[in-house]
Structures are given as structure tokens and as C-alpha cells.
Amino acid sequence: MNRKDVDRNKISPMMKQYLDIKDKYPDTLIFYRLGDFYEMFFEDAVIGNRELGLTLTGRNAGLEERVPMCGVPHHAYVSYLDKLVEKGYKVAICEQMQDPKTTKGMVDRDIVQVVTKGTRLDSDLDEKDNNYLGSVYDFDYCYVLTFSDITTGYLYSMIIDHDKEKLVKEITKRNIKELIVSDKTDREIVQELREFYDILITIIDDLYEEDNYEGLYKNLNDIRLVTGVKHLLSYIINTKKGDLSHIQPSEVITSDKYLIFDVHTKRNLELIETIRNKDRMYSLLWLLDKTKTAMGSRLLKYNIENPLTDKEELNRRYDTIEKFLNEFILKEDLVRALDNVYDLERLLSRVSYGNLNARDLIQLKNSIRVFPTIHDILDELKYNKNIEVLNELYELLEKSINEDAPVTLKEGSLIKEGYSSELDELKSIRSNSKDFILKFEQEERERTGIKNLKVGYNKVFGYYIEISKSNIPLVKDEWKYDRKQTLVNCERFITPILKEKENIILGAEEKIIDLEYKLFMNIRDEVKKYTSILQNNSKIIAEIDMMTALTTVAEENSYIRPNITDERDIIIKNGRHPVVEKVIKDNYVSNDVIMRDDVNILLITGPNMAGKSTYMRQLAITVIMAQIGSFVPAKECSIPIFDRIFTRIGASDDLVSGDSTFMIEMKEANTAISEATQNSLILFDELGRGTATYDGMSLAQAILEYIHDNIGAKTLFSTHYHELTVLANDLPKLRNVHVSANLEDGKINFLHKVKNGAVDKSYGIHVASLAKLPKSLIERADEILDMYENKSKKEQTFTQTSLFLDFDEDKEKSSKIEEKLKNINPLEITPIEALNILYELKRDLDDKK
Ligand code: ADP
Ligand code: MG
């Protein structure tokens, strides 16, 4: 039975209340509180049945048919709710707003909060990751993207060109889980984000116009950015419905502040997770994350995804690492102190929103306890910032909150003795009465002579006297025992004095719980006053946590301080890939990357498995590490600040968008070509592989020429088209390098060493033999190869002319000269030999004439 088909004139009042509420939240599942359960009705119930495996039942609601229903117990609803939210549903909690015990008729109910992917505040979230909710506002000529992690209170704004791809890139790169978009926004974008990136999207235009959150956008002097914040706020406030005063003023992200790359590059370089297993292990983040706090870990991740371009700040960070390395004892003390700091940011969101428990406050207290230590160390290190020591707040929490308080706030046991005399008095009344009862039991046994007389307690009858069946005949009327319950083995009685004490105990109990709750809330309000100081402390702690982690990594792996130059020269000596190095340990072969002003493009050749891709990634990762302020894996490193990194690495990692590999290659090449500047870094790994040889080769060449002539970005370009190496003749800023390999007894031996010049042999078949293909097959492949090589020698000149060189018609001659040149290694011949060769070449040329 569907909600829409229901005759609302016939339906029961409660179900009418339900439908009225559901009308206001049509796209949201309603958890409707009914006694001890949250119930779902109609279509929601069907979803509950399907997604959670709940039993589908029905409820009479005055209609002919019963209304489909299923429910979850109220004390255990959270896990069910999380599961639905995880699957992309929005779930609204509808509570009873009045106490059913004291209300005549039907209780009022209302939605107290809506939980969605982007607005979760529960503690199940990954503490090492941010959970972003975003808003897109379409201004015709630009987009404004505003996003926030409401669990930590960070808020960001940015303006993006009115370009669909750029917008999608920003959103996906930042791993935003949920978006609200203004109605104007192109539905194609909405669909792409929903379908390919699994982002939960709501289309609304509302702006939050009240001024109680003005502080979040007061600093923004662009009305478009302000609108973005108001747009996002409208949704947050509508779903959370609680105090969100921990959200911090918006920080504007401008593209010149950060080294920019897109989600593909992030993936290709395995910054956050590996391509193959989508695992954090063996990613750059995994390598660098030696942080001790959740805040530090999130900050590090943010930095890896958003490296800086500010030279001064980077040098400040290198200085910090240097200082930590020199003062390693202080640094170790600092790390030890940080180990005691809990996730203050998320704690503060619970303080303001109100879903805080006593254990949170104990964590806060334990964190504050180490503030003085951290403060003093930073002072001693002359660090440029310091945290505020909060002794008063510490004292308050120390004397008030019980160390082993329960998670719920309605059971008492929250507050320590000595904090409130009123509470202590109630507690002593309670315990006196409990003592009385113990004594009473003792005295009754003696008075009655019934040795196994017991005083017990249960919720229905309160305190009672229990006497076993065999002793019942001994009970005398004059004792005034009042029989209440008969069980198989015993009977239970009450007496007036027992009732009187029971009233006192239960009365005190109730008062204690109420009072403890009230005291707890007062303490929470007190803590709330420290929100901005604590947030500021958190930021500093996150920063030093990240910096000590980077120091530890630098120390353990012998990284060095990079030198940021204002020139465009890249000089890296003995560079390593920090993650590959971790895996293969001492076997890693370090390599130089030298690209001075006279070189913009390195064309890298070499057999499969030689290490081309690794060499390229190594440079990009070194750049990223340097631009987050880390030391780098090399013996010497001098690099400029890069504005962007573009990559095309690997072939088949893009199943998601449905484009062919070749299409993706070309799209990514296009992005690089249209957006790169001469301050960018471009990595093209075997570009053009996805199409027929000549197509691919021609495109590769054209792209290289274009980058060379029009962009001038530093570019690493690996290729298996050896024909491309002749480009060095035409393009003065292109250099050939190759990754060397040896052939010994027909077996290939990888040296992984990058050397100058081109390699002209493909070792594909040898690699295949390494993969243990059958011997006969390998031999046959060798035969075929010989055939092709002979054939292609005849064709070679044609290929070269048509593709690359405007040589004159006499191909024979030029190739002969070329052949000779190719066999020369200028580094290995004496000046005399060189002169002789020069004569020879000249003679060859003259012969032709
Ligand atoms: P290519 O791109 O040339 O096919 P890769 O870069 O994928 O080669 O490297 C293949 C393998 O060689 C890597 O998995 C790695 O184990 C090893 N390797 C690469 N570079 C090095 C190096 N510099 N030192 C040691 N081993 C390396
Ligand atoms: Mg490769």
C-alpha cells in the first residue's frame, strides 16, 4: 500500500500525524518514535525490510488494509541508521516531544534531526579522514563551491570558472560525500556526480538569512562567496537543527595558494591509497603519517592533497624540521605529549551540538593535562606559535567529572564527590537508606528466626522481603508482612517501614540523576566558552603533530632539505621513490633528474619493467613532498615551486567513466595542454598506447612538439616508440634518456639506472620470458621479431620521413650516417677518434654528392 493512495479522512490520527510529517520530508526515511521503537511505515518500511532485513509487519490505521510497518528498538537504532546513511539514504529522527506518561491523548512529535552522508556527527566516522558536505551555487558565469566538515568545524569557499569539468574535478578531488546544488545547476553535472561518483545530491535554492551565523562569512568580501555559505548553512541548519557554533569562519581557497592536481593524478601517484588495492598501505600518506593525533593525521592528508606554493611558509617548515632534528630530545618529549591528545576538533563539535558524554570530557581533560608540557617545549624551541594552557578548565573537569562515568547521561554516576554539596547530600541519603536496608535484613532475620530471610529489589514491587516456601508457616500476623507475590519456591512481602525507605531511596535516585544531568550541562556550557581557544590550540597541535611526523620520517629514511629555487632548474641527485624504496629496501637504485634551463622535456625510453614509470613518479612525489614542507628522498635537491601537476600514467584505472583508455588519455592530455603553464610539471607515461601504432606515435609527437614550443612546462615523457627519440634533433629543449638494461645469455637484467641518450632495442620478449611463458612460444616470438626487424629496417626510412624529419630525398645516405652516429658514445671516445669519425662522416656525405 502506497502513502499516496491513502484516504486521509479515514486514517487514524496517529497515522495522519505521521503523514503530515512525512509530507515535509518526502525524500527522507522517517524513524517515527513509538514507545520503545522507531517505526517506519509505507514505502519506508519496504526499504527497511529490503536494506536492513527487518521483518515487515502491518499496523491498523483505520483503513481496510494494514499499513506496512517495520521498526528498530530505540536503544539500538544507531547501527541501523548508520547502515542506511552509508547506503546513501537520508534518515530523519522523529521524536515524541511530550512525555507520553503525562500527556492525555496523542503526543506531539517532530523531526529533531536529519542524518545524511555529509551531516553525520556520530563517532563511527574514520578519525583520520574528513567528512565533507558541499554546496554548489551556479552564478551563470562562475560556480561557487562551499564545503565543510561539520564534525571538525572547518569551512571553505572557492570560486570556480563556469566550466563543468573544472567543477566536477574540484568536487571529486576533495572527496565530497554529499552536495546541495542550486536549481540552476546543469542536470548533467548532477547526474554525473550521482552516478559515477556516488555523491548524494539535493537540489535546493534556500539561503540561510538569519544573522546568528554571520561570523562564518563576515570576513568574506565577495557577495558570491557569502551566498555560497548561506546556501550550505540553510541545509546544515535544516538537517541538524541544533547549535553549530563550533563551525569556523570560512577560509577562501584560491588556486594560486596551492599546487593543483586532479583526482586522477592523486590516484596515479598513489598519494592516499594504492591503485590496485585501494589500500592506504604503501601510499604516500601511509609513509608520512607518523602523526599521533587525529587532527594531525587529517591535516597531513589535507596537505598531501593540497600542497603549498608559498616559498616562505615552506622554508619555515623545513626550518622546523631542522630544529626538531637538532633538538631531538625535546622533539621526542613533544611526541610523547601529543600522544595524549584526543580528537579535540570532533569533541568540540559534540560540545556545541550537544551529543557529548562524560567520557568525551574525560578525554578533553586528559588532553588539557599535557598542554603545559607542549607549551613549554614550544617555548623552548622558540616555535612561532604557542598554545594556551587551560589550567582553570582542567581544574573544573578534574574535580567534577567521574573518571569512569557511563556513556549515557541519564543514569547518574557522572559527577565526582565533593563537587556539589547538594548532590553529595542526596547521595548520602540514598546510601544511608541502603545501609538501613542491609541492617534491616540482619535485624529481621534475628527477630523472626528465619535464617534465609532476604531483602531484595525489583522494578515492579520495589523492596521486598523474601521467605522460602518451607519457612512460610513461621510468618506471624503481628509482623504485619503484606503478601505481594507468590513464586514457586518463595513468597514476597512488603512492610510499611520498607516502603518508607524505598520512597526515600527512589526519590533520591531520581533527584540525583536529574541533578547530575543538570550539573553536567552546566559544565558543558562552561567548556563551550573555551571553544575558540580550544580550536586554536587544536590547529597548532595538528600542525606540530604533522611537523614532528615529517621529522620522524625524514630521520628514519635519511631525507634531505630541499632547496627551493627561483629559477626553473630541477637538480635532483640520487633521488629515490620513497615508497618503492620502502618495499625493496637496499635494492633501490637512486637516480638523478637534471633539467636545467636548457631542458624542458625528458624523453624516457627503455624496456618494460625497467623503471620508467617509477622514475617519473619519483619526481612528482619529490615535488609534492617538498611542497608540503617535508624533506625529500635524495642526496641533493633543488627545485622550483610548481603550480600544477598533470599526469597520464597507467592505462586501465578509469573504468568508472566509461570512456575508452584512449579517450581518457586524450582528455587528460588536453587538460594538461590547455591548463599547464611553464611552471607546471607534466608526466606522460606511454601516451598514445591506447591506439594504433602510427596514430599513437603521431599524436605523441604532436603533443611533445606543442608542449615544447607553446608551454615550456617541465615534462617527463616515457615512450616505447623508439622512433620518437630522433625528436631531439629538432626540439632543442628535449633530451633523451633511457633506463638501462643488460642482456646476458639472452636473459634480461634490469639495472634501473637512468642514463643519457636513447635506447633502441625493445626487450619485450625477454620480459615475457621472465613471466614464464612457454619456451617454445618465446622462441617463436623471437623468430617473428627477426622478421619484423628486417622488414622494418627496409621501411624505417619511410617512417622517419613521413613522421618526423624533413630530410631530403636521399634516405639511404642519411640513414647510413645516422646509423654510424647512433653507434657512437661520445663519452667513451678520445678526441682523436672523434675527429676521425667526423672525417668519415663528412666523406660519406660527400660520396653522396
Ligand atoms: P616501466 O614503467 O619501465 O615498465 P616500472 O617503473 O613500472 O617500469 O618498474 C618496474 C619495477 O621495477 C618496479 O615495480 C620496481 O620494483 C622496479 N624498479 C623500478 N625502478 C627501480 C629503481 N630505481 N630501483 C630498483 N627497482 C626499481
Ligand atoms: Mg611503466
Side-chain angles (χ1 to χ4, degrees):
M1 181 171 34
N2 285 335
R3 192 159 54 87
K4 287 203 191 65
D5 310 332
V6 167
D7 181 352
R8 296 206 183 184
N9 294 319
K10 287 195 191 144
I11 204 157
S12 69
M14 195 204 74
M15 200 49 73
K16 184 168 178 318
Q17 181 191 51
Y18 171 82
L19 289 174
D20 289 345
I21 292 171
K22 178 77 186 178
D23 284 346
K24 288 190 237 159
Y25 295 85
D27 64 342
T28 305
L29 302 177
I30 310 273
F31 271 26
Y32 182 85
R33 181 69 181 263
L34 205 60
D36 284 340
F37 280 82
Y38 288 105
E39 302 287 4
M40 304 164 84
F41 298 114
F42 297 104
E43 294 89 337
D44 287 11
V46 176
I47 294 174
N49 168 260
R50 189 180 61 222
E51 303 282 10
L52 300 173
L54 300 169
T55 312
L56 200 56
T57 59
R59 189 178 176 90
N60 280 326
L63 307 170
E64 272 158 34
E65 241 181 284
R66 281 159 39 112
V67 171
M69 173 176 93
C70 63
V72 298
H74 82 99
H75 56 84
Y77 77 98
V78 178
S79 63
Y80 293 102
L81 183 142
D82 283 351
K83 220 179 257 173
L84 290 169
V85 167
E86 206 64 64
K87 286 175 185 245
Y89 292 99
K90 300 180 180 182
V91 184
I93 314 276
C94 180
E95 283 295 352
Q96 301 173 154
M97 305 308 280
Q98 293 164 310
D99 187 346
K101 276 188 225 133
T102 58
T103 311
K104 285 222 168 72
M106 198 177 55
V107 294
D108 270 350
R109 288 189 178 79
D110 206 353
I111 302 293
V112 292
Q113 65 163 315
V114 181
V115 185
T116 63
K117 260 191 199 177
T119 60
R120 289 170 62 181
L121 280 172
D122 53 283
S123 45
D124 275 356
L125 290 163
D126 180 1
E127 65 162 24
K128 296 191 166 184
D129 209 352
N130 281 109
N131 197 55
Y132 289 125
L133 165 75
S135 124
V136 172
Y137 208 93
D138 186 340
F139 282 96
D140 292 330
Y141 47 93
C142 73
Y143 296 109
V144 166
L145 176 66
T146 315
F147 59 100
S148 174
D149 177 350
I150 64 170
T151 68
T152 61
Y154 285 99
L155 173 66
Y156 304 93
S157 303
M158 62 194 302
I159 292 177
I160 299 167
D161 296 347
H162 204 263
D163 173 328
K164 185 185 139 205
E165 289 201 2
K166 282 189 186 161
L167 177 66
V168 169
K169 252 180 211 168
E170 272 310 329
I171 292 167
T172 51
K173 153 182 174 180
R174 295 178 186 282
N175 195 15
I176 291 173
K177 301 263 174 57
E178 178 177 4
L179 266 185
I180 58 165
V181 302
S182 60
D183 193 29
K184 236 194 234 162
T185 315
D186 189 349
R187 290 300 184 273
E188 232 177 72
I189 300 179
V190 172
Q191 194 180 343
E192 179 176 350
L193 290 172
R194 263 192 195 141
E195 288 181 9
F196 295 141
Y197 296 99
D198 198 24
I199 296 174
L200 177 64
I201 301 188
T202 310
I203 300 169
I204 31 168
D205 272 345
D206 298 354
L207 300 180
Y208 186 75
E209 291 295 0
E210 277 163 60
D211 51 16
N212 47 340
Y213 287 103
E214 205 182 29
L216 302 189
Y217 49 80
K218 222 170 42 197
N219 60 322
L220 305 175
N221 44 23
D222 184 324
I223 184 73
R224 296 169 299 179
L225 296 176
V226 172
T227 305
V229 174
K230 288 181 171 176
H231 187 226
L232 186 66
L233 266 180
S234 76
Y235 185 75
I236 298 178
I237 288 173
N238 235 325
T239 52
K240 296 330 279 177
K241 297 181 186 291
D243 183 351
L244 296 158
S245 50
H246 66 285
I247 298 184
Q248 305 177 42
S250 188
E251 185 185 317
V252 183
I253 297 180
T254 53
S255 55
D256 58 346
K257 266 200 234 171
Y258 298 102
L259 165 60
I260 295 173
F261 44 78
D262 66 10
V263 65
H264 303 292
T265 294
K266 184 167 120 182
R267 232 181 269 155
N268 287 337
L269 296 175
E270 308 194 306
L271 299 183
I272 304 300
E273 59 185 24
T274 54
I275 295 174
R276 197 179 298 185
N277 298 328
K278 302 236 168 292
D279 198 358
R280 186 183 167 102
M281 184 139 178
Y282 298 128
S283 67
L284 180 64
L285 178 61
W286 162 81
L287 177 77
L288 299 182
D289 194 357
K290 298 272 188 261
T291 58
K292 294 292 176 188
T293 70
M295 289 103 68
S297 182
R298 289 193 297 262
L299 180 69
L300 176 64
K301 178 164 186 251
Y302 184 85
N303 270 270
I304 292 176
E305 291 175 337
N306 303 277
L308 303 176
T309 53
D310 179 350
K311 180 177 170 184
E312 236 168 78
E313 171 65 14
L314 291 175
N315 273 319
R316 204 189 58 74
R317 291 187 183 181
Y318 306 148
D319 289 344
T320 302
I321 294 180
E322 239 159 41
K323 196 175 277 177
F324 283 159
L325 285 172
N326 290 334
E327 302 278 359
F328 65 92
I329 294 176
L330 285 177
K331 180 223 148 196
E332 283 307 309
D333 289 345
L334 198 51
V335 170
R336 252 193 304 281
L338 289 170
D339 217 1
N340 292 297
V341 179
Y342 288 85
D343 193 345
L344 297 175
E345 288 171 352
R346 289 211 166 137
L347 247 154
L348 288 169
S349 75
R350 293 202 284 277
V351 170
S352 86
Y353 190 63
N355 55 339
L356 176 85
N357 61 42
R359 291 191 193 165
D360 291 328
L361 287 186
I362 294 297
Q363 293 190 348
L364 178 61
K365 183 186 82 177
N366 290 335
S367 308
I368 299 176
R369 196 201 337 249
V370 295
F371 282 5
T373 315
I374 295 175
H375 180 275
D376 292 351
I377 298 174
L378 292 182
D379 228 22
E380 213 172 324
L381 289 168
K382 301 201 174 55
Y383 197 72
N384 68 338
K385 294 172 200 158
N386 212 328
I387 61 168
E388 214 165 301
V389 175
L390 299 172
N391 288 332
E392 260 173 49
L393 183 56
Y394 179 79
E395 295 302 327
L396 170 68
L397 296 173
E398 170 61 21
K399 69 176 187 234
S400 62
I401 306 291
N402 207 349
E403 303 289 338
D404 35 41
V407 268
T408 58
L409 300 179
K410 296 286 174 67
E411 281 176 26
S413 308
L414 303 173
I415 305 291
K416 270 187 186 164
E417 208 181 304
Y419 178 66
S420 154
S421 52
E422 193 187 347
L423 181 65
D424 291 349
E425 216 163 280
L426 284 169
K427 284 185 175 168
S428 92
I429 292 172
R430 180 178 64 180
S431 75
N432 285 343
S433 303
K434 282 189 172 163
D435 286 351
F436 171 87
I437 282 172
L438 284 179
K439 224 166 75 203
F440 175 81
E441 185 182 65
Q442 202 56 39
E443 283 170 1
E444 285 298 285
R445 276 183 198 161
E446 281 165 25
R447 192 164 73 91
T448 60
I450 301 174
K451 285 222 174 58
N452 62 0
L453 178 148
K454 262 198 317 211
V455 176
Y457 176 83
N458 72 25
K459 273 207 172 133
V460 185
F461 299 109
Y463 285 97
Y464 54 78
I465 297 167
E466 186 177 291
I467 295 177
S468 64
K469 270 271 153 68
S470 55
N471 285 328
I472 293 294
L474 301 176
V475 174
K476 299 205 173 88
D477 283 350
E478 67 212 52
W479 297 349
K480 294 220 163 61
Y481 278 13
D482 187 358
R483 179 172 287 122
K484 271 286 161 193
Q485 197 184 11
T486 304
L487 301 171
V488 185
N489 300 323
C490 63
E491 296 200 5
R492 288 171 175 175
F493 306 86
I494 57 169
T495 73
I497 179 82
L498 205 51
K499 272 292 125 180
E500 189 186 310
K501 286 294 170 188
E502 176 188 311
N503 283 338
I504 295 174
I505 294 174
L506 294 185
E509 189 81 42
E510 195 174 318
K511 281 187 197 146
I512 287 169
I513 287 175
D514 285 352
L515 183 57
E516 289 212 27
Y517 183 77
K518 207 176 95 202
L519 292 169
F520 183 86
M521 286 302 161
N522 289 341
I523 295 165
R524 185 202 77 166
D525 289 344
E526 196 54 33
V527 173
K528 203 166 166 176
K529 293 182 193 155
Y530 290 88
T531 302
S532 75
I533 298 179
L534 282 167
Q535 280 177 333
N536 197 38
N537 278 1
S538 306
K539 280 196 185 127
I540 296 170
I541 286 172
E543 187 181 300
I544 56 172
D545 190 16
M546 176 173 85
M547 293 316 297
T548 50
L550 292 178
T551 307
T552 305
V553 180
E555 211 171 7
E556 285 175 357
N557 302 293
S558 320
Y559 298 162
I560 53 114
R561 177 181 179 138
N563 169 39
I564 304 282
T565 70
D566 295 323
E567 316 299 316
R568 292 186 54 252
D569 295 2
I570 298 178
I571 299 166
I572 297 176
K573 302 239 172 99
N574 293 88
R576 286 118 56 201
H577 187 302
V579 179
V580 177
E581 169 186 54
K582 274 280 168 190
V583 181
I584 61 177
K585 313 247 158 56
D586 293 341
N587 296 324
Y588 196 86
V589 179
S590 63
N591 274 307
D592 299 348
V593 185
I594 312 285
M595 298 174 87
R596 290 182 215 274
D597 208 32
D598 56 340
V599 180
N600 283 337
I601 302 176
L602 289 185
L603 187 64
I604 308 165
T605 43
N608 275 323
M609 292 292 291
K612 299 183 295 299
S613 302
T614 309
Y615 181 67
M616 299 172 81
R617 286 201 173 100
Q618 174 180 315
L619 174 62
I621 286 181
T622 302
V623 165
I624 287 172
M625 285 172 77
Q627 289 190 231
I628 67 177
S630 166
F631 279 17
V632 295
K635 279 266 154 57
E636 191 187 322
C637 171
S638 184
I639 46 175
I641 298 242
F642 287 93
D643 61 355
R644 282 159 168 264
I645 297 181
F646 300 92
T647 58
R648 176 60 224 170
I649 297 181
S652 57
D653 57 329
D654 258 297
L655 304 171
V656 146
S657 62
D659 285 339
S660 70
T661 305
F662 181 63
M663 188 62 194
I664 296 159
E665 285 194 302
M666 288 305 117
K667 273 189 180 168
E668 292 192 10
N670 179 50
T671 309
I673 279 166
S674 52
E675 293 176 20
T677 72
Q678 66 161 5
N679 298 319
S680 305
L681 176 65
I682 300 178
L683 308 184
F684 280 159
D685 196 0
E686 312 215 9
L687 192 85
R689 194 160 61 168
T691 186
T693 312
Y694 288 130
D695 281 9
M697 197 157 67
S698 320
L699 277 163
Q701 181 182 350
I703 287 169
L704 275 170
E705 286 173 356
Y706 190 92
I707 294 173
H708 183 273
D709 296 344
N710 301 318
I711 302 175
K714 294 289 185 199
T715 303
L716 300 190
F717 198 108
S718 76
T719 185
H720 60 287
Y721 301 128
H722 300 111
E723 295 88 336
L724 285 180
T725 55
V726 297
L727 273 174
N729 299 340
D730 275 1
L731 305 179
K733 295 204 168 186
L734 181 145
R735 287 284 183 287
N736 285 315
V737 294
H738 68 278
V739 194
S740 54
N742 272 351
L743 268 182
E744 276 172 31
D745 308 331
K747 271 184 137 186
I748 192 159
N749 181 19
F750 296 113
L751 304 177
H752 304 302
K753 198 75 189 168
V754 177
K755 296 182 177 164
N756 284 327
V759 70
D760 61 350
K761 198 158 168 61
S762 168
Y763 297 83
I765 292 174
H766 301 287
V767 175
S769 77
L770 282 186
K772 302 211 163 39
L773 283 168
K775 199 156 170 264
S776 58
L777 189 151
I778 300 286
E779 282 165 7
R780 173 65 186 143
D782 265 326
E783 269 173 46
I784 300 174
L785 179 66
D786 274 347
M787 231 161 68
Y788 274 121
E789 277 180 349
N790 289 334
K791 194 165 145 222
S792 85
K793 263 186 197 131
K794 285 184 207 127
E795 280 175 1
Q796 199 167 36
T797 46
F798 158 73
T799 318
Q800 283 172 348
T801 321
S802 63
L803 273 168
F804 313 115
L805 306 169
D806 7 321
F807 271 15
D808 59 26
E809 52 293 349
D810 200 328
K811 298 144 199 164
E812 224 22 85
K813 197 62 54 180
S814 57
S815 79
K816 197 172 155 203
I817 293 171
E818 208 178 69
E819 207 50 47
K820 273 193 177 156
L821 276 168
K822 254 188 203 160
N823 292 328
I824 296 166
N825 183 348
L827 294 177
E828 285 172 0
I829 54 178
T830 65
I832 290 290
E833 281 170 335
L835 205 56
N836 283 334
I837 291 167
L838 193 60
Y839 271 114
E840 258 176 57
L841 289 172
K842 189 94 171 85
R843 202 185 51 223
D844 285 352
L845 202 64
D846 288 340
D847 276 2
K848 194 192 92 188
K849 285 195 174 142

